[in-house]
Amino acid sequence: MATNVKILIADDETRWRRLVGDYLRNEGYYVVEASDGQEALSLVRSNSDIDLVILDIMMPVMDGIEACQAIREFSQIPIIMLTAKNDEDSEVMGFVCGADEYISKPIKFPVFIARVKALLKRSVSMRTTVEVAGICIDPDAHTVTADGREISLTPREFELLLYVAQNKNIALSRQQILSAVWNFDYYGDARTVDTHVKNLRMKLGEYGAALKTVRGRGYKLEG
């Protein structure tokens, strides 16, 4: 039982928030709740032991997108966006703001729990330091540096970079990346990999050029 893992759920619908919370509590997680994005932001700021945040997009005071962006200004805690919206623009917006997962209601709870477990596992995984193309990746500290400068990445971006670095100079298909990085049967569009690669390149700056597009295949990190 995962009694030491604390998960924050932010949703303005009390019934739905408690339903999701009950599923997580049944898995042994400790759950805290917020009724809007502002309250969620305050809880993350004041509770350094929160391990995962689940944000609904449509909330009063501060919506999930705004809350996610605000949290990303000071924390790389894993974030799942949970919403009734099911269109591509909303999904892309969720990832661009720094979310690691985007799950649409109604939730398939066995899949939802599997995603929660996979995301938590990746965020605490222990691996040796990897250095490629001037980039140093420290999985234990969950940091990325280049020329001594730390680069802030979301947990998903971190895992993507680590995976391509561990397979440097190998052309990896989008499906290979989804299977390895997302670590479950992903039912969304494989183009989500493209969105994450684009964001990763932007954050890496000049070092992002080493992350090459392989036409008809996917991506590879040269080093």
Side-chain angles (χ1 to χ4, degrees), residues 4-160:
N4 293 324
V5 176
K6 182 183 288 188
I7 298 177
L8 167 63
I9 303 173
D11 194 312
D12 60 316
E13 295 184 33
T14 302
R15 181 191 61 82
W16 186 257
R17 190 172 67 238
R18 291 179 178 171
L19 175 63
V20 175
D22 285 344
Y23 271 92
L24 292 171
R25 291 184 187 95
N26 286 339
E27 294 295 323
Y29 300 118
Y30 180 78
V31 177
V32 292
E33 300 180 10
S35 59
D36 59 63
Q38 184 64 60
E39 184 180 0
L41 177 61
S42 297
L43 285 169
V44 175
R45 286 188 182 278
S46 59
N47 293 269
S48 60
D49 59 342
I50 292 177
D51 299 288
L52 174 69
V53 178
I54 300 172
L55 296 172
D56 184 58
I57 284 187
M58 300 300 292
M59 292 187 291
V61 184
M62 177 184 286
D63 65 29
I65 297 294
E66 293 172 318
C68 182
Q69 290 173 326
I71 290 170
R72 280 291 172 257
E73 291 179 1
F74 65 91
S75 174
Q76 297 306 311
I77 188 171
I79 296 175
I80 295 176
M81 303 300 294
L82 190 64
T83 179
K85 290 187 176 181
N86 193 26
D87 61 273
E88 185 176 300
D89 289 343
S90 295
E91 183 171 356
V92 170
M93 186 180 299
F95 286 130
V96 169
C97 80
D100 301 284
E101 292 286 357
Y102 184 99
I103 301 176
S104 298
K105 299 175 182 177
I107 294 174
K108 295 180 179 179
F109 279 100
V111 176
F112 169 70
I113 294 298
R115 294 186 180 193
V116 166
K117 289 181 177 179
L119 189 54
L120 287 168
K121 181 179 179 180
R122 287 193 297 273
S123 70
V124 299
S125 61
M126 303 290 283
R127 280 162 255 171
T128 57
T129 300
V130 179
E131 295 187 34
V132 180
I135 304 166
C136 181
I137 309 167
D138 186 340
D140 292 350
H142 217 267
T143 58
V144 175
T145 57
D147 288 337
R149 177 177 63 89
E150 186 168 343
I151 299 170
S152 179
L153 302 178
T154 67
R156 182 71 74 198
E157 291 164 350
F158 181 89
E159 292 298 326
L160 172 56

Side-chain angles (χ1 to χ4, degrees), residues 177-219:
I177 294 171
L178 281 172
S179 297
V181 177
W182 273 250
N183 199 29
F184 51 78
D185 292 330
Y186 183 73
Y187 299 104
D189 196 320
R191 286 176 297 178
T192 190
V193 174
D194 300 335
T195 300
H196 281 75
V197 167
K198 179 180 178 182
N199 292 339
L200 186 56
R201 282 173 174 159
M202 180 178 64
K203 290 184 177 182
L204 291 173
E206 61 182 290
Y207 296 95
L211 185 50
K212 305 289 187 180
T213 299
V214 181
R215 182 171 296 181
R217 179 66 175 171
Y219 300 97

